[in-house]
Structure formats: structure tokens, C-alpha cells
Amino acid sequence: MFITHPNSQNSLQEQLEGYVKGGGRLLQIRLKGTPKEELTRVVTRVVQVMDELGGSVIVNDNWEVARVTGAWGVHIGQKDGDPYKVRKAVGENIALGVTVNTPEQLIALKDAPIDYVGLGPLRFTRTKENLASILGIEGIRNVLIKAREAGVTHPIFVVGGVENIDVRPLLTLGVHGVAVSGSIASASDPAFATQKFLESIEKILR
């Protein structure tokens, strides 16, 4: 999963074009502070393009925009809403993801009507403000062990400073996937960076 991030290296369009050119198909639009009307316009266009490519678009935070644009999903943080209320608002046909930073938060969502969780941060990242405590590989392992013992079955994407070298150790732990922002958004060649991430994933899945 690629999460967009405004930066001086690549515009939003360059990020999106690079990700798609590199083979990426699961995209989260994260545009903090963007007016609802502008966000709706951007997401609508991106959804159209990704639908044509067989891809999926997730909207960060704004479930109303996700619903009206026909996006595949919406992702909320710990302070962005109650997943039970958001599920009721968006219905059953929109995927719902939630950010978690601790085993307690993840276990609390065991029976929640969600489709996946974003677990992190793996390491320090400048793409997110008010960063939670850094977990590292061992922290991720600890959360997974406790979650499995509690019977949590939600697919888990690791997020927060994820780099290509992290793909093998993370997938080996049993997570569903990785959510990448800066390593693609700020890359000198987003398409190449995306391609390398996908190659690393495919090697492990073989």
C-alpha cells in the first residue's frame, strides 16, 4: 500500500503516476488539511484512473469523501472516529482500516467491523506528525504474538518509515503487507522504488 505525502521532491501527480507506472495498485490518499471539496475532486479522479487499472483507492480520515467518490476504502487513526460508528455511516461495501500502535489497541479491535489494521510506526518518519512510540522489528513481533494469543485475525499492514530492506523480515513475521509513504513519495524515481518493493514482496511469496 502506498500512502501519498506532500513533499518538495515529487508532486502528488508525480507520486501517483510513478506508483502506478511501477506496478502499484493499492493506494491511500492522505492529504491532511485539504478542503473537502478539493479532496473530493482529487479522489474522484484518482478512483476513476485506478478503477480502469484494476486498482483500489483508500481515503485517509474522511469517510464522507470515500463514500461519495466510490473509493474502495477509508482509513482512520485512533483519534479520527469510532470504527463502529464509521462502519455504520459508510455501510458494508467500503473497506475500513484503523491505525494501531500497541497490542492493547489491536486487541481492542478484535471484534470490530474493520477489514485491516495499520500497525506502527516501525521506525521514525517525517511523513506523520505526533508520532507514536517507535516499535522496531522486535516491537512488531511482540504485538503480533500478543494479538495471535488473543485471537485477532485482522490483516495487518506495517507502517511508519518502512524501507525495502524491511519487507523480508516483516512478511516473514506473518504480517499481511507493508504500507509505504516516504520511501516512494520522496524517491528520486517513484516508479523504480515501487517496482523494487513489489519485487521484494514477490520473492517472498514465491
Side-chain angles (χ1 to χ4, degrees):
M1 179 192 301
F2 170 52
I3 306 172
T4 63
H5 178 68
N7 66 81
S8 58
Q9 180 70 32
N10 299 296
S11 66
L12 176 62
Q13 183 170 340
E14 289 171 333
Q15 292 176 37
L16 298 178
E17 290 179 351
Y19 180 62
V20 168
K21 183 179 179 182
R25 293 296 181 267
L26 181 56
L27 170 69
Q28 183 179 151
I29 300 292
R30 186 173 186 268
L31 296 173
K32 294 287 189 180
T34 301
K36 184 178 179 180
E37 295 75 14
E38 174 68 7
L39 181 61
T40 300
R41 184 188 67 78
V42 171
V43 174
T44 297
R45 176 55 183 153
V46 175
V47 166
Q48 291 173 346
V49 172
M50 293 301 279
D51 279 349
E52 293 172 1
L53 295 171
S56 302
V57 177
I58 298 169
V59 179
N60 184 271
D61 289 353
N62 201 315
W63 60 263
E64 293 177 320
V65 171
R67 187 175 63 181
V68 301
T69 58
W72 178 77
V74 60
H75 186 94
I76 60 174
Q78 284 290 310
K79 299 179 181 179
D80 297 322
D82 180 336
Y84 289 90
K85 292 181 179 179
V86 174
R87 170 57 71 200
K88 186 175 182 179
V90 300
E92 298 298 322
N93 296 324
I94 292 181
L96 175 57
V98 180
T99 298
V100 297
N101 312 117
T102 68
E104 291 77 19
Q105 291 173 351
L106 179 51
I107 292 170
L109 293 171
K110 175 184 175 182
D111 299 316
I114 63 176
D115 297 281
Y116 74 91
V117 297
L119 171 63
L122 173 65
R123 61 167 59 87
F124 177 78
T125 174
R126 298 184 185 280
T127 63
K128 187 174 180 61
E129 297 179 358
N130 302 316
L131 199 65
S133 297
I134 295 170
L135 293 170
I137 294 292
E138 287 307 309
I140 297 292
R141 186 197 309 274
N142 179 55
V143 173
L144 292 176
I145 291 173
K146 292 182 178 179
R148 287 168 184 153
E149 290 175 347
V152 176
T153 59
H154 300 307
I156 296 171
F157 284 83
V158 175
V159 64
V162 177
E163 299 176 2
N164 202 322
I165 59 173
D166 302 315
V167 171
R168 175 173 290 279
L170 287 174
L171 293 189
T172 301
L173 287 179
V175 302
H176 183 79
V178 292
V180 180
S181 187
S183 292
I184 291 176
S186 300
S188 57
D189 186 341
F192 181 76
T194 299
Q195 183 180 356
K196 288 304 177 183
F197 266 103
L198 293 175
E199 288 176 357
S200 296
I201 292 171
E202 289 168 359
K203 286 180 181 178
I204 297 174
L205 295 180
R206 289 193 189 119

